Amino acid sequence: MSQGECPLRTGKAGIDCFLQSANIVTIGAQPAEKKSHPMNWSTADFAFAAALIGTLVLGIWLAIRLNRHPLYRAAFLLTLAGSLLLIWINGAIGVIGSAGNPANLLFGIVLLIGLVGMVASRFRAGGMSATLLIMAVIQTGIGTTAIALNLGDGGALWPWDTFAATAVFTTIWLAASLGFRMSR
């Protein structure tokens, strides 16, 4: 399969095709970044971005293969997008204070609970719905605790940035939970 030819496929050929696309996107961005220098990304940053894009592509493939119900697929993709966005924001600027604030590592608990819950439920809609509901509660708890304990003090928009991020991600988890529940 040559570059530029990537028909929709399933199985290993489809995964290879999507991963090749993710690789092209990140490699193509490198020369533009080096010329303009607004981001100051290292090779590791580009590798991390490629891994996130590859995970997104693999998740899309998985969503298509797991269930035919459109609400299930939408909820799965919303969960995946929310998870990758949480990782990206935490790594780039941080949700609690700055990116270097160790309190941001607490959001890994939300993602770990999501991963364990989804695998434990064998990706069934009912289990996925319950898992995302738990994720929403934990997300809210972490954000509320961070604000109450002033863990992000020193951030440019503290505490409004943490409040807004908590509201957005909690809404994402609740919407995905409802989507899985309605797809049963």
Side-chain angles (χ1 to χ4, degrees):
M1 171 178 354
S2 66
Q3 285 184 325
E5 293 179 22
C6 195
L8 288 176
R9 296 180 181 198
T10 59
K12 186 177 179 330
I15 293 172
D16 289 344
C17 188
F18 281 127
L19 291 177
Q20 180 185 24
S21 298
N23 190 29
I24 290 168
V25 168
T26 56
I27 289 171
Q30 277 184 323
E33 186 273 333
K34 286 182 180 182
K35 191 172 189 176
S36 60
H37 294 289
M39 299 185 309
N40 196 22
W41 279 24
S42 68
T43 302
D45 293 328
F46 280 101
F48 183 71
L52 284 179
I53 293 169
T55 301
L56 178 64
V57 167
L58 188 61
I60 291 168
W61 176 81
L62 191 58
I64 291 168
R65 303 278 294 175
L66 285 173
N67 195 313
R68 290 188 170 271
H69 198 290
L71 282 175
Y72 181 96
R73 288 179 175 180
F76 194 95
L77 294 175
L78 183 59
T79 301
L80 182 63
S83 299
L84 294 177
L85 188 61
L86 182 59
I87 292 168
W88 192 278
I89 289 172
N90 245 342
I93 58 173
V95 174
I96 302 171
S98 66
N101 189 335
N104 283 310
L105 296 175
L106 293 171
F107 292 111
I109 295 168
V110 175
L111 300 175
L112 182 62
I113 286 171
L115 181 63
V116 169
M118 290 176 190
V119 170
S121 70
R122 296 169 55 165
F123 296 98
R124 292 190 182 116
M128 301 274 275
S129 178
T131 297
L132 278 142
L133 190 57
I134 293 168
M135 288 172 66
V137 169
I138 303 259
Q139 180 86 39
T140 302
I142 291 171
T144 304
T145 302
I147 291 170
L149 297 178
N150 209 22
L151 297 178
D153 190 25
L157 298 173
W158 175 257
W160 301 109
D161 53 351
T162 301
F163 176 77
T166 299
V168 167
F169 285 109
T170 299
T171 302
I172 289 171
W173 308 143
L174 290 174
S177 177
L178 181 62
F180 283 121
R181 180 177 167 87
M182 291 174 63
S183 73
R184 295 191 313 179

